[in-house]
Coordinates of all heavy atoms in Angstrom, one line a residue:
M1 N 24.4 -82.2 36.5 CA 24.4 -82.5 37.9 C 23.5 -83.6 38.3 O 22.4 -83.4 38.8 CB 24.1 -81.2 38.7 CG 24.5 -81.2 40.2 SD 26.3 -81.0 40.3 CE 26.5 -81.4 42.0
A2 N 23.9 -84.8 38.0 CA 23.2 -86.0 38.3 C 23.4 -86.6 39.6 O 22.7 -87.5 40.1 CB 23.4 -87.1 37.2
A3 N 24.4 -86.1 40.4 CA 24.7 -86.7 41.7 C 23.6 -86.3 42.7 O 22.9 -85.3 42.6 CB 26.0 -86.1 42.1
A4 N 23.4 -87.2 43.7 CA 22.5 -87.0 44.8 C 23.4 -86.4 45.9 O 24.0 -87.2 46.7 CB 21.8 -88.2 45.2
V5 N 23.5 -85.1 46.0 CA 24.3 -84.5 47.0 C 23.6 -84.3 48.3 O 22.4 -83.9 48.3 CB 24.8 -83.1 46.5 CG1 25.7 -82.4 47.5 CG2 25.5 -83.2 45.1
A6 N 24.2 -84.7 49.4 CA 23.6 -84.6 50.7 C 23.2 -83.1 51.0 O 24.0 -82.2 50.8 CB 24.6 -85.1 51.8
D7 N 22.0 -82.9 51.5 CA 21.6 -81.6 51.9 C 22.1 -81.2 53.3 O 22.2 -80.0 53.6 CB 20.0 -81.5 51.9 CG 19.5 -81.7 50.5 OD1 20.1 -81.2 49.6 OD2 18.4 -82.3 50.4
Y8 N 22.4 -82.2 54.1 CA 22.9 -82.0 55.5 C 24.1 -82.9 55.8 O 24.3 -84.0 55.2 CB 21.8 -82.3 56.5 CG 20.6 -81.4 56.4 CD1 19.5 -81.7 55.6 CD2 20.5 -80.2 57.1 CE1 18.5 -80.9 55.5 CE2 19.5 -79.4 57.1 CZ 18.4 -79.7 56.2 OH 17.3 -78.9 56.1
R9 N 24.9 -82.4 56.7 CA 26.1 -83.1 57.2 C 26.2 -82.9 58.7 O 25.6 -81.9 59.2 CB 27.4 -82.6 56.5 CG 27.7 -81.1 56.7 CD 29.0 -80.7 56.2 NE 29.2 -79.3 56.4 CZ 29.6 -78.6 57.5 NH1 29.9 -79.4 58.6 NH2 29.8 -77.4 57.6
P10 N 26.8 -83.8 59.4 CA 27.1 -83.6 60.8 C 27.8 -82.3 61.1 O 28.7 -81.9 60.4 CB 27.9 -84.8 61.2 CG 27.6 -85.9 60.2 CD 27.4 -85.2 59.0
R11 N 27.3 -81.6 62.1 CA 27.9 -80.3 62.4 C 29.4 -80.4 62.8 O 30.2 -79.6 62.5 CB 27.1 -79.6 63.5 CG 27.6 -78.2 63.9 CD 26.7 -77.6 65.0 NE 25.3 -77.4 64.4 CZ 24.3 -77.2 65.2 NH1 24.4 -77.0 66.5 NH2 23.1 -77.1 64.7
T12 N 29.7 -81.5 63.5 CA 31.1 -81.8 63.9 C 31.3 -83.3 63.5 O 30.4 -84.1 63.6 CB 31.4 -81.6 65.4 OG1 30.5 -82.4 66.1 CG2 31.1 -80.1 65.7
V13 N 32.6 -83.6 63.3 CA 33.0 -85.0 62.9 C 33.9 -85.5 64.1 O 34.9 -84.8 64.4 CB 33.7 -85.1 61.6 CG1 34.2 -86.5 61.3 CG2 32.9 -84.6 60.5
S14 N 33.5 -86.5 64.7 CA 34.3 -87.1 65.8 C 35.6 -87.7 65.3 O 35.6 -88.4 64.3 CB 33.5 -88.1 66.5 OG 34.3 -88.8 67.6
E15 N 36.7 -87.3 66.0 CA 38.0 -87.9 65.6 C 38.1 -89.4 66.0 O 38.9 -90.1 65.4 CB 39.1 -87.1 66.2 CG 39.2 -85.6 65.7 CD 40.4 -84.9 66.2 OE1 41.1 -85.5 67.1 OE2 40.6 -83.7 65.9
Q16 N 37.3 -89.8 67.0 CA 37.3 -91.1 67.4 C 36.0 -91.8 67.2 O 35.0 -91.1 67.0 CB 37.7 -91.2 68.9 CG 38.9 -90.5 69.3 CD 40.2 -91.1 68.7 OE1 40.2 -92.3 68.4 NE2 41.2 -90.3 68.4
K17 N 36.0 -93.1 67.1 CA 34.7 -93.8 66.9 C 33.8 -93.6 68.1 O 34.2 -93.7 69.2 CB 35.0 -95.3 66.7 CG 33.7 -96.2 66.6 CD 34.0 -97.6 66.5 CE 32.7 -98.4 66.5 NZ 33.0 -99.9 66.5
I18 N 32.6 -93.2 67.8 CA 31.6 -93.0 68.8 C 31.1 -94.3 69.4 O 30.7 -95.2 68.7 CB 30.3 -92.2 68.2 CG1 30.8 -90.8 67.6 CG2 29.3 -92.0 69.3 CD1 29.8 -90.1 66.9
K19 N 31.2 -94.4 70.7 CA 30.9 -95.7 71.4 C 29.4 -95.7 71.7 O 28.7 -94.7 71.8 CB 31.7 -95.8 72.7 CG 33.2 -95.9 72.4 CD 33.6 -97.1 71.6 CE 35.1 -97.2 71.4 NZ 35.5 -98.4 70.7
K20 N 28.9 -96.9 71.9 CA 27.5 -97.1 72.3 C 27.3 -96.9 73.8 O 27.1 -97.8 74.6 CB 27.0 -98.5 72.0 CG 26.9 -98.7 70.5 CD 26.3 -100.1 70.1 CE 27.2 -101.2 70.5 NZ 26.6 -102.5 70.1
S21 N 27.4 -95.6 74.2 CA 27.4 -95.3 75.7 C 26.1 -94.8 76.1 O 25.8 -94.7 77.3 CB 28.5 -94.3 76.0 OG 28.3 -93.1 75.2
D22 N 25.2 -94.5 75.1 CA 23.9 -94.0 75.5 C 22.9 -94.6 74.5 O 23.2 -94.8 73.3 CB 23.9 -92.4 75.4 CG 22.7 -91.8 76.0 OD1 21.7 -92.5 76.1 OD2 22.8 -90.6 76.4
D23 N 21.6 -94.8 75.0 CA 20.6 -95.3 74.1 C 20.2 -94.3 73.0 O 19.6 -94.6 72.0 CB 19.4 -95.7 74.9 CG 19.7 -97.0 75.7 OD1 20.6 -97.7 75.3 OD2 18.9 -97.3 76.7
N24 N 20.4 -93.0 73.3 CA 20.0 -91.9 72.4 C 21.2 -91.1 72.0 O 21.8 -90.5 72.8 CB 18.9 -91.0 73.1 CG 17.7 -91.8 73.5 OD1 17.1 -92.4 72.6 ND2 17.3 -91.7 74.7
L25 N 21.5 -91.1 70.7 CA 22.6 -90.3 70.2 C 22.1 -89.0 69.6 O 21.2 -89.1 68.7 CB 23.4 -91.1 69.1 CG 24.4 -90.4 68.4 CD1 25.6 -90.0 69.4 CD2 25.0 -91.2 67.2
N26 N 22.6 -87.9 70.1 CA 22.2 -86.6 69.5 C 23.2 -86.3 68.5 O 24.4 -86.1 68.8 CB 22.2 -85.6 70.6 CG 21.7 -84.2 70.1 OD1 21.1 -84.1 69.1 ND2 22.1 -83.2 70.8
L27 N 22.8 -86.1 67.2 CA 23.6 -85.8 66.1 C 23.2 -84.6 65.4 O 22.4 -84.6 64.5 CB 23.7 -87.0 65.1 CG 24.7 -87.0 64.0 CD1 26.1 -87.0 64.5 CD2 24.4 -88.1 63.0
P28 N 23.7 -83.4 65.8 CA 23.3 -82.2 65.2 C 23.8 -82.1 63.7 O 24.9 -82.5 63.4 CB 24.0 -81.1 66.0 CG 24.4 -81.8 67.3 CD 24.6 -83.2 67.0
L29 N 22.9 -81.6 62.9 CA 23.3 -81.5 61.5 C 23.3 -80.0 61.0 O 22.6 -79.2 61.6 CB 22.2 -82.3 60.6 CG 22.1 -83.8 60.9 CD1 21.0 -84.3 60.0 CD2 23.4 -84.5 60.7
T30 N 23.9 -79.8 60.0 CA 24.0 -78.4 59.4 C 23.9 -78.6 57.9 O 24.2 -79.6 57.3 CB 25.3 -77.7 59.8 OG1 25.1 -76.3 59.3 CG2 26.5 -78.3 59.2
R31 N 23.5 -77.5 57.2 CA 23.3 -77.6 55.8 C 24.6 -77.7 55.0 O 25.6 -77.0 55.5 CB 22.6 -76.3 55.3 CG 21.0 -76.3 55.5 CD 20.3 -77.3 54.6 NE 20.7 -77.2 53.2 CZ 20.0 -76.5 52.3 NH1 18.9 -75.8 52.8 NH2 20.3 -76.4 51.1
T32 N 24.6 -78.4 53.9 CA 25.8 -78.4 53.1 C 25.7 -77.3 52.0 O 24.6 -76.6 51.9 CB 25.9 -79.7 52.3 OG1 24.7 -79.9 51.5 CG2 26.1 -80.9 53.2
A33 N 26.8 -76.9 51.4 CA 26.7 -75.8 50.4 C 25.9 -76.3 49.2 O 25.9 -77.5 48.8 CB 28.2 -75.5 50.0

């Protein structure tokens, strides 16, 4: 197991490109398996 597997992923994946509508983006994460 030489891969560097991500420990976290975004809790939800946006179906559309997230626009620059706010100076602060809140990106909740959750643990990967």
